[in-house]
Amino acid sequence: RYFNIRASMKKENLEVCPLFAKTIVRTHIDLEVIDLSKIEWAQNYQNEISTSQNVLDEPNFTKLRKECMKGINDYFHGVIKVSEDTEIYITESWFNKTNKGQTHHRHWHPNSTLSAIVYLSGETGKGGNTSFITSQYDTLEFDVTEGNLWNSRSWTVEPAVGTMLIFPSSVEHLVQPYDGDEPRISLSFNTFVRGNLCQNKLMRLEV
């Protein structure tokens, strides 16, 4: 339902265009056995975070980093069609651990272009869903007969091991309460850009 939603229209000639949408991509990455037993954890607001914020720079996560970069490049150059003159790269990366009864606070990722979540472990059907929330609001509130991509203030994705979600870093999100006995562990990372960003007159920028 998340990516295959269709509008129920009575008129066949009515075309709906999601103009200026916040594009969120869901993809699957090839996860090999990842040893997280040596990860050191610190308390976050409502769950735990790895003490290292550069985990993908570690040699034992080299393959995972390559899989993440493939997804990021597919989004950046394949979906939104940014020129190859601009390179996107990972700046920070860390693990999150949510235990039974915990959540992850509402937040967004400043000083980043695209961010991503990779689900590494956890029980399905036990909550811990990721909710994306809009920070834009209309002046009027209406009762709706059915929620969809055009009228929702938030959208929820159920975690699945091996799934990666890629989204603009400005999109706010949170993790709903988790009720599984196995810890819900995810990888998060931020990105930035370098190279020739734009060649148009009065907008030229190289970083």
Side-chain angles (χ1 to χ4, degrees):
R1 183 174 182 270
Y2 180 56
F3 290 92
N4 296 308
I5 189 169
R6 295 291 184 270
S8 298
M9 303 295 181
K10 294 182 179 180
K11 296 182 179 180
E12 293 182 358
N13 63 345
L14 186 62
E15 181 179 358
V16 177
C17 179
L19 195 62
F20 310 128
K22 296 290 187 180
T23 304
I24 298 175
V25 168
R26 178 168 59 186
T27 185
H28 186 81
I29 68 173
D30 183 19
L31 283 181
E32 57 183 7
V33 177
I34 299 176
D35 182 13
L36 301 176
S37 62
K38 297 181 180 179
I39 300 298
E40 295 182 359
W41 300 98
Q43 185 64 40
N44 202 353
Y45 292 98
Q46 296 163 332
N47 59 354
E48 296 179 52
I49 186 173
S50 61
T51 56
S52 170
Q53 275 80 63
N54 295 287
V55 296
L56 289 180
D57 292 341
E58 298 177 14
N60 50 325
F61 299 127
T62 299
K63 183 177 180 181
L64 179 59
R65 181 186 181 92
K66 289 181 180 179
E67 289 288 322
C68 292
M69 279 306 307
K70 180 180 182 302
I72 286 292
N73 281 310
D74 286 344
Y75 183 117
F76 195 61
H77 299 296
V79 177
I80 59 176
K81 300 295 182 182
V82 175
S83 167
E84 294 288 345
D85 291 335
T86 305
E87 177 190 358
I88 188 166
Y89 62 97
I90 295 173
T91 56
E92 297 176 298
S93 54
W94 63 97
F95 295 117
N96 308 283
K97 181 166 69 172
T98 305
N99 293 308
K100 188 172 185 177
Q102 294 182 329
T103 64
H104 196 122
H105 63 284
R106 177 173 174 172
H107 64 285
W108 58 288
H109 295 218
N111 297 328
S112 177
T113 306
L114 298 175
S115 296
I117 302 166
V118 181
Y119 300 113
L120 302 177
S121 72
E123 299 176 46
T124 58
K126 294 292 185 178
N129 297 342
T130 299
S131 290
F132 293 96
I133 308 160
T134 181
S135 56
Q136 297 178 337
Y137 297 93
D138 296 325
T139 55
L140 298 176
E141 293 284 345
F142 298 103
D143 292 330
V144 297
T145 58
E146 178 185 359
N148 58 37
L149 287 176
W150 295 275
N151 62 25
S152 295
R153 304 291 187 193
S154 64
W155 205 261
T156 297
V157 183
E158 184 176 1
V161 174
T163 295
M164 177 163 64
L165 302 176
I166 307 170
F167 51 92
S169 300
S170 60
V171 176
E172 293 187 74
H173 52 287
L174 57 81
V175 174
Q176 296 180 357
Y178 178 62
D179 195 41
D181 292 319
E182 178 187 5
R184 177 196 185 277
I185 297 179
S186 64
L187 165 73
S188 296
F189 62 88
N190 291 334
T191 64
F192 207 68
V193 293
R194 57 191 169 207
N196 293 312
L197 272 62
C198 184
Q199 294 299 311
N200 293 335
K201 292 181 179 179
L202 304 181
M203 294 189 294
R204 292 189 180 98
L205 180 62
E206 182 177 354
V207 295

